[in-house]
Amino acid sequence: MRMEEIIRKKRDGGVLSPEEIDFVVRGTADGSAPDYQLSALLMAIWFQGMKPEETARLTLAMADSGPRADLSSLPGIKIDKHSTGGVGDKTTLVAVPIAAACGVLCPKMSGRGLGHTGGTADKLEAIPGFRTSLTEAEFLDTVRKTGMSLMTQTGEAVPADKRLYALRDVTATVDSLPLIAASVMSKKIASGCGGVVLDVKAGSGAFMKTFADAEALAREMTAIGRAAGLRVSALITNMDRPLGKAVGNAIEVEEAMEALRGGGPADLRELSLALAAEMVRLAKGGTAEECLARAGRALDSGAAFETFGRMVECQGGDRRALERPFPLSTCRLELKAPRDGFLTRMETGEIGTAAVLLGAGRSRKDDPLDLGAGIRILARPGDRVKEGQPLAELFAAQEELLEPAAARYLAALSFGEAAPEPQPLIWARTGGD
Ligand code: URA
């Protein structure tokens, strides 16, 4: 079999056979397929798409490109949660402890931020002493003691995705439905969990810009997961605005802790509870209403915050730090409204890029992060503002990072005379078992 023939077939709109897909994934994982041929194939897939059966085969081949995690020493079904990536999305830090406090076992591996979207593993490193790199024994032990653990993907997990994702990031091929579906679901299948709740983001801050595209992605991921024997539920949620009011690392953990103490922005609370309720439903059954009520009790009683604190302690972190404001970078700029009117729209991907410019995210895989950099959003779409009123506070380690980020942020905003139509936070739920 020859790579150039496979590339030509896909370029011309053909359907790849299971053997051809297995050949590509083998070559990706063992290094025998060079970057330039894989990049050409990724671009051909971006243009031509894949049939559902091709995407399903790609997913399974990727899931088996490294060892699958063995969670069988933990009793019963284990539930994972995955977001397709957004701006200000810190729901893992809230939803997972809620689900764990409801008795759901949540051993969760999290990724790092890339492009304009943040990653949970980076955010967690803002907690003093907290270790996101654990041995398998430490990971399982933390779940046994607290119901949950959050760690980074280990070196050998799904090596084909690691290589393809890095290539996609630099070849403008991230936003492809089959490639996202295969990337996400290969990791979920390899994670060893029996169920997964997917948060599929739609809007200007998401890879899928429209509801229709996000719905198609949710359906495909759900079908792939179920065919692999997983319980899957997917929410399609609004990423036309950042979630909550904090974008960055330390600043997002601080906001997540506020939510775990029963406060924080209403959208963060609503989505975290909805995701946690789905995790409870997949693990334990019950109606959507019952599971939501149960999640609400776990949050409002303080049980979820206590669960998170115990997990932090088990992973070497200082749980007292969760009660205090997190230190932010010392250079600060307050961004003022240029005019009177309603804030009508935010190009949310650009808000994420402004945070990257401040040092809160990476442009390249190995860029260093400033965990204290970020944005506190003071006005959101729908708010009426007066000229000169603060719209956002920006934090960075160096003065010279502030101005370019401020310009990017301001250019991402639209103002008008009338309030925009309110949009729902949760657009739809697909599946449910
Ligand atoms: N998240 C992933 O893990 N993979 C993608 O391709 C996109 C979002």
Side-chain angles (χ1 to χ4, degrees):
M1 221 172 277
R2 288 161 54 82
M3 265 300 269
E4 56 266 46
E5 283 161 10
I6 295 173
I7 296 167
R8 184 176 304 113
K9 186 172 180 187
K10 185 43 76 183
R11 182 199 69 186
D12 295 342
V15 176
L16 301 183
S17 68
E19 294 72 27
E20 286 167 329
I21 291 170
D22 291 350
F23 177 78
V24 169
V25 173
R26 250 196 327 273
T28 306
D30 69 15
S32 60
D35 281 357
Y36 49 85
Q37 287 187 317
L38 289 175
S39 301
L41 181 63
L42 290 168
M43 189 55 84
I45 293 172
W46 191 93
F47 275 107
Q48 296 291 358
M50 285 184 128
K51 296 260 183 256
E53 59 273 20
E54 290 177 285
T55 310
R57 183 69 179 212
L58 177 63
T59 308
L60 290 180
M62 285 168 65
D64 286 326
S65 65
R68 293 192 186 188
D70 179 7
L71 302 177
S72 57
S73 65
L74 298 171
I77 186 165
K78 278 71 66 179
I79 304 291
D80 203 345
K81 171 240 168 224
H82 190 91
S83 155
T84 56
V87 178
D89 181 7
K90 66 281 291 172
T91 52
T92 292
L93 302 177
V94 188
V96 173
I98 296 174
C102 293
V104 181
L105 290 186
C106 307
K108 173 148 178 56
M109 297 213 182
S110 291
R112 303 216 170 259
L114 209 57
H116 72 271
T117 66
T120 302
D122 294 327
K123 295 177 217 238
L124 285 164
E125 282 171 8
I127 301 171
F130 189 83
R131 288 189 303 121
T132 56
S133 244
L134 301 178
T135 63
E136 189 184 316
E138 288 170 329
F139 184 52
L140 296 175
D141 198 44
T142 306
V143 180
R144 248 178 239 117
K145 286 184 175 140
T146 71
M148 67 177 287
S149 179
L150 300 172
M151 70 172 286
T152 47
Q153 265 117 19
T154 59
E156 73 261 30
V158 200
D161 178 63
K162 210 158 281 146
R163 184 152 177 232
L164 289 181
Y165 198 93
L167 283 176
R168 288 165 60 208
D169 191 46
V170 293
T171 56
T173 51
V174 171
D175 53 345
S176 149
L177 189 154
L179 294 178
I180 295 176
S183 166
V184 170
M185 293 314 292
S186 62
K187 285 179 288 210
K188 298 300 109 178
I189 291 166
S191 80
C193 285
V196 59
V197 175
L198 300 168
D199 181 3
V200 182
K201 304 281 186 196
S204 62
F207 294 123
M208 296 289 118
K209 302 297 176 209
T210 65
F211 173 76
D213 283 349
E215 192 181 35
L217 177 61
R219 283 191 193 291
E220 190 132 345
M221 290 200 294
T222 303
I224 292 170
R226 288 194 182 152
L230 299 185
R231 299 180 192 175
V232 186
S233 169
L235 299 184
I236 299 170
T237 71
N238 189 331
M239 196 22 80
D240 243 351
R241 54 167 63 193
L243 189 71
K245 297 180 179 173
V247 183
N249 294 291
I251 198 168
E252 285 197 34
V253 180
E254 184 179 297
E255 188 172 79
M257 294 308 107
E258 279 166 32
L260 275 180
R261 288 196 298 267
D267 58 348
L268 174 59
R269 177 184 168 91
E270 181 186 342
L271 183 52
S272 301
L273 282 172
L275 292 166
E278 285 300 299
M279 294 172 80
V280 173
R281 202 159 70 88
L282 289 191
K284 302 191 173 285
T287 67
E289 294 71 28
E290 283 162 0
C291 293
L292 193 59
R294 202 164 161 185
R297 285 194 297 274
L299 179 60
D300 292 330
S301 65
F305 186 55
E306 173 61 22
T307 297
F308 191 84
R310 287 177 41 227
M311 187 267 308
V312 164
E313 221 163 46
C314 277
Q315 295 189 208
D318 176 5
R319 72 182 283 185
R320 289 164 313 174
L322 309 178
E323 313 261 2
R324 304 190 287 257
F326 278 64
L328 300 179
S329 303
T330 48
C331 300
R332 175 179 169 277
L333 184 148
E334 198 171 73
L335 204 71
K336 303 252 174 27
R339 51 166 284 187
D340 288 355
F342 283 95
L343 180 53
T344 53
R345 187 174 159 75
M346 280 177 152
E347 281 303 325
T348 302
E350 290 294 293
I351 305 292
T353 303
V356 173
L357 294 177
L358 290 167
R362 296 183 182 80
S363 305
R364 312 276 320 172
K365 194 157 65 68
D366 299 317
D367 283 353
L369 277 189
D370 172 10
L371 296 171
I375 301 173
R376 198 185 309 282
I377 297 171
L378 302 174
R380 299 203 286 172
D383 289 349
R384 185 200 280 275
V385 296
K386 286 240 164 279
E387 186 181 339
Q389 176 182 329
L391 295 176
E393 272 179 290
L394 312 188
F395 300 90
Q398 289 133 28
E399 284 290 337
E400 65 268 25
L401 300 178
L402 292 169
E403 273 306 332
R408 197 88 181 216
Y409 191 100
L410 210 51
L413 307 182
S414 304
F415 296 89
E417 300 313 320
E421 281 288 309
Q423 290 180 359
L425 174 63
I426 300 170
W427 265 313
R429 190 178 80 194
T430 68
D433 58 21

